Amino acid sequence: MNHADFRSARERDDLEVQQVTAGWLEAFEAALASQNADRVAGLFVEAGNWRDVLAFTWHLTPRVGAKAIAQALVARQGAVQAHGFEINPERTPPRRAKRLGQACIEALYRFETAVGRGEGLLRLVPADAGGAAGHKAWVFSTSLEELKGFEDKVGDRRPTGAAFSRNFGGDNWEDARRKAQDYADRDPTVLVVGGAQAGLSIAARLNQVGVDALVVEKWPRIGDSWRKRYHSLALHNSIHVNNLPYLPFPPTWPNYIPKDMLGLWFEFYAQVMEINHWTSTEFAHGVWDDAAKCWTATLKRADGSERIMRPRHIVFANGVSSYPLQPEIPGLDSFKGDVLHSEGFDSGEPYAGKRAIVIGTGSSANDIALDLHSFGCHTTMVQRGSTTVVSIDPAAKLNYALYDEGLPVEECDLIGAAATPPMIVTAYQLAVKRMMELDKDMVDGLKRIGFKYDIGEDGTGHQMKYRRRGGGYNLDAGSSDLMIRGEIDLLQNERIERFCPEGALLKDGSIVPADLVILGTGYYPQGELVRRALGEDMEACIGPIWGEGADGELANMYKRTPQEGAWFIAGSLTQARVYSKYLALQIKAMEEGLVDASPFE
């Protein structure tokens, strides 16, 4: 086949893909308008997947199976009035792809509802295994992207700046920003607790849809929650998946961003995105006023004063974890050396030439062990439970492979948000199989020295461990090789009888001497934060936060919770960027009376 023939064949195939996609969307819209569930179900494969992100259900709603999908869509269509389903001309055209081992047509489309505009992902496969004419949907998503009349003020809708342009004798931009941040004569509509990636992302999104939000951060500067972590910390996934909303990182920045660089960016971001924020301010307590439909929130300022605010919403953006978990370790109170939780560790430099015991084998514990070793501190790691270990580079490339395909970040985010829980499990299982091949020498070496290694309870590796419990894995930066070579010692916890003044007393009577013990023992889940800040009754009302809910989605995360006005956002920078949009849209819709503000049932 010559070049011209190849091009002609490619063009014919592209046209066919376009026609198949457009035909399915047309048939779907007609079936949905008829509100005939059987007709809608006939357009999906039996094991089809649908994930709704607010557009139909005002919730994060997964459905698996043609009948379940059709019933849910038809049940909501009368209220939603979805229409205008068409290939999105502003996105990458439909194309053939292979996802989760399945060849398919992959297309991005758009649609409208009574109150907003949405986009979605459509993956089509031949209607039967023999490849007969016609295609059915294997994957379908519906994501609300904007509310009509309340679109983000970006691009052509950006502010004119006329309010501050040559405003002689009046307030300039800086005056207006200072007054806005003071909150001298008003309370914010939304109080955001936490000023890292999640808090900044949701505040930036709320700003764009016209919702007044105040971020409170306990540290003296925005970005300190990263600056104050251990000295050598850098992000464990690459830069192109980590942008915050509206403002990508400079193209000159390194692939793996150092923590102080990231902290600097967060501080800059808060300023240029006009995010109202109070630093050195701690959220002390909150009480829900059901009659007034708002919170009574107590804030403690740096000077010891308190400010009472009455926001209608509180968004907890404190991270997947809350307070450091320091378990009872027999004899540790008798140890004569230093004892630090990993949160309080800065650098191994003060312990050069000394001996350290690091309890734990997660990512932070391993990074700290590496740092100590680099300063010549003899380091022993104590393994308390089986751990998933993957090298950073393979993990980053495999788990974010979509972002390496050359698609715009916005399209990758939309595609990622289409995955139902079963699809996520399958994707991680496939990634783990490949990681095991790439990391075979490292894994074999770890097992050889007695390291307890696993790939997750269902072969889903570290990603599902993070999703389910926020820990139990190590994104390895080199400590595993040092353990295998014996340069960092490995000690299993069951060999320890107790700690003593000199270090760890083993059951055989020997002592592992130490000058420092690091507790890489993790953190309490976010429920502990709720208990301390809102009380035990509120903790019981809201229930688990993070981890898998009954439907496989993250529990009480990015969506309405059983407590009106209480919201949670956490996770990676990617998750913060993606889900801050949808959380902001929910809050805006409630403020405009577009959706019932009562808790989701």
Side-chain angles (χ1 to χ4, degrees):
M1 180 183 293
N2 61 38
H3 180 71
D5 290 339
F6 176 81
R7 185 175 63 185
S8 178
R10 178 63 182 269
E11 288 172 348
R12 288 195 300 271
D13 186 64
D14 288 346
L15 179 60
E16 179 185 352
V17 167
Q18 288 267 350
Q19 291 173 337
V20 167
T21 303
W24 190 93
L25 290 169
E26 182 180 353
F28 173 77
E29 181 163 352
L32 188 61
S34 75
Q35 298 195 46
N36 184 316
D38 289 339
R39 189 174 167 188
V40 174
L43 295 169
F44 289 83
V45 300
E46 187 60 33
N49 294 265
W50 171 51
R51 189 175 190 239
D52 181 59
V53 183
L54 310 184
F56 276 77
T57 62
W58 285 114
H59 207 55
L60 307 183
T61 305
R63 291 288 185 271
V64 177
K67 289 184 179 179
I69 292 169
Q71 289 169 357
L73 284 165
V74 168
R76 290 292 300 159
Q77 172 61 7
V80 174
Q81 301 175 42
H83 63 281
F85 290 83
E86 63 178 5
I87 295 169
N88 192 338
E90 299 175 358
R91 299 299 189 193
T92 299
R95 58 181 184 158
R96 297 193 186 276
K98 191 171 186 179
R99 303 296 187 198
L100 306 183
Q102 170 73 59
C104 63
I105 292 173
E106 182 173 271
L108 297 174
Y109 71 94
R110 65 186 182 186
F111 65 101
E112 292 191 22
T113 70
V115 300
R117 300 179 186 88
E119 295 189 62
L121 170 72
L122 173 63
R123 288 182 182 146
L124 297 170
V125 296
D128 60 52
H135 286 70
K136 292 188 177 184
W138 163 45
V139 178
F140 183 63
S141 71
T142 47
S143 296
L144 182 66
E145 294 296 308
E146 62 184 12
L147 296 169
K148 294 176 181 177
F150 307 106
E151 296 86 355
D152 282 0
K153 298 183 287 292
V154 299
D156 293 341
R157 294 190 294 267
R158 72 173 72 231
T160 65
F164 312 113
S165 178
R166 296 177 293 280
N167 189 22
F168 303 111
D171 287 349
N172 66 7
W173 174 84
E174 187 174 2
D175 296 328
R177 288 294 306 127
R178 184 173 58 253
K179 290 179 180 178
Q181 289 214 123
D182 284 346
Y183 286 92
D185 57 357
R186 75 192 198 285
D187 289 335
T189 303
V190 180
L191 181 67
V192 179
V193 182
Q197 63 265 21
L200 295 176
S201 294
I202 183 59
R205 298 283 195 188
L206 289 168
N207 279 355
Q208 287 302 306
V209 293
V211 177
D212 188 5
L214 169 65
V215 174
V216 292
E217 169 59 65
K218 67 179 181 179
W219 296 109
R221 295 168 60 192
I222 293 292
D224 275 354
S225 58
W226 281 88
R227 287 189 195 92
K228 293 182 179 295
R229 300 189 192 188
Y230 54 90
H231 191 71
S232 57
L233 176 64
L235 292 183
H236 285 169
N237 47 30
S238 58
I239 191 170
H240 63 287
V241 304
N242 287 326
N243 292 328
L244 296 183
Y246 311 112
L247 193 63
F249 293 114
T252 57
W253 276 35
N255 203 38
Y256 297 106
I257 305 175
K259 53 118 180 166
D260 296 291
M261 207 172 191
L262 188 63
L264 177 67
W265 182 259
F266 284 174
E267 194 168 31
F268 165 78
Y269 185 86
Q271 295 293 342
V272 300
M273 293 304 298
E274 300 180 287
I275 294 172
N276 295 336
H277 58 278
W278 289 2
T279 54
S280 297
T281 302
E282 184 175 359
F283 175 75
H285 188 59
V287 177
W288 175 251
D289 185 334
D290 197 50
K293 297 299 179 183
C294 69
W295 293 93
T296 299
T298 302
L299 306 178
K300 290 185 177 180
R301 306 300 306 276
D303 61 5
S305 65
E306 290 187 350
R307 170 73 183 267
I308 305 298
M309 285 187 162
R310 295 177 67 79
R312 288 193 288 275
H313 309 267
I314 296 179
V315 177
F316 291 95
N318 312 70
V320 174
S321 308
S322 60
Y323 300 98
L325 177 60
Q326 302 190 39
E328 290 292 329
I329 297 177
L332 189 58
D333 56 352
S334 69
F335 177 61
K336 290 183 177 179
D338 297 335
V339 178
L340 297 173
H341 190 273
S342 59
E343 184 176 76
F345 178 83
D346 179 38
S347 169
E349 184 174 11
Y351 299 96
K354 297 185 178 181
R355 305 179 73 91
I357 294 174
V358 179
I359 300 176
T361 47
S363 287
S364 293
N366 275 272
D367 283 358
I368 289 170
L370 266 174
D371 193 76
L372 289 164
H373 176 269
S374 71
F375 283 103
C377 178
H378 185 95
T379 304
T380 299
M381 298 196 72
V382 176
Q383 186 173 30
R384 300 188 302 153
S386 183
T387 309
T388 302
V389 185
V390 292
S391 298
I392 288 177
D393 285 340
K397 290 176 181 176
L398 286 169
N399 287 315
Y400 292 98
L402 176 65
Y403 289 82
D404 288 327
E405 292 183 7
L407 298 174
V409 169
E410 294 80 9
E411 293 186 16
C412 293
D413 289 349
L414 184 63
I415 293 170
T420 61
M423 292 172 61
I424 292 172
V425 167
T426 299
Y428 289 156
Q429 287 172 335
L430 291 172
V432 166
K433 288 180 181 179
R434 181 58 179 148
M435 285 184 205
M436 290 285 288
E437 295 172 358
L438 296 171
D439 282 337
K440 184 179 185 304
D441 290 344
M442 179 185 70
V443 172
D444 288 348
L446 287 172
K447 289 180 178 179
R448 192 166 56 247
I449 63 171
F451 189 92
K452 296 175 181 177
Y453 173 86
D454 70 76
I455 57 171
E457 62 189 40
D458 49 3
T460 50
H462 74 283
Q463 288 280 40
M464 283 304 289
K465 279 193 171 184
Y466 175 64
R467 185 178 175 90
R468 288 166 174 159
R469 58 189 179 98
Y473 59 87
N474 172 35
L475 293 174
D476 185 71
S479 56
S480 292
D481 183 59
L482 292 174
M483 275 191 279
I484 293 166
R485 300 205 318 254
E487 295 184 38
I488 291 178
D489 291 340
L490 174 67
L491 175 64
Q492 294 299 330
N493 189 58
E494 57 265 27
R495 292 185 58 200
I496 299 175
E497 177 69 29
R498 59 181 172 83
F499 277 79
C500 62
E502 296 80 20
L505 174 63
L506 305 187
K507 291 178 179 178
D508 64 8
S510 62
I511 293 176
V512 177
D515 304 289
L516 167 69
V517 172
I518 295 288
L519 301 176
T521 48
Y523 297 81
Y524 286 101
Q526 278 195 327
E528 179 66 13
L529 168 72
V530 173
R531 186 187 69 81
R532 297 189 192 188
L534 305 181
E536 292 182 358
D537 290 346
M538 193 67 73
E539 178 191 18
C541 170
I542 293 173
I545 303 161
W546 198 263
E548 287 183 298
D551 59 358
E553 295 280 342
L554 288 171
N556 286 314
M557 191 61 57
Y558 320 126
K559 57 194 175 187
R560 280 178 285 171
T561 71
Q563 173 55 52
E564 183 178 347
W567 307 84
F568 298 87
I569 181 170
S572 66
L573 277 83
T574 305
Q575 288 171 302
R577 180 183 66 247
V578 172
Y579 287 100
S580 58
K581 173 190 288 187
Y582 303 124
L583 199 161
L585 285 174
Q586 291 172 80
I587 292 175
K588 180 63 175 179
M590 289 182 178
E591 288 300 300
E592 297 299 331
L594 300 177
V595 63
D596 188 350
S598 62
F600 182 83
E601 298 295 340

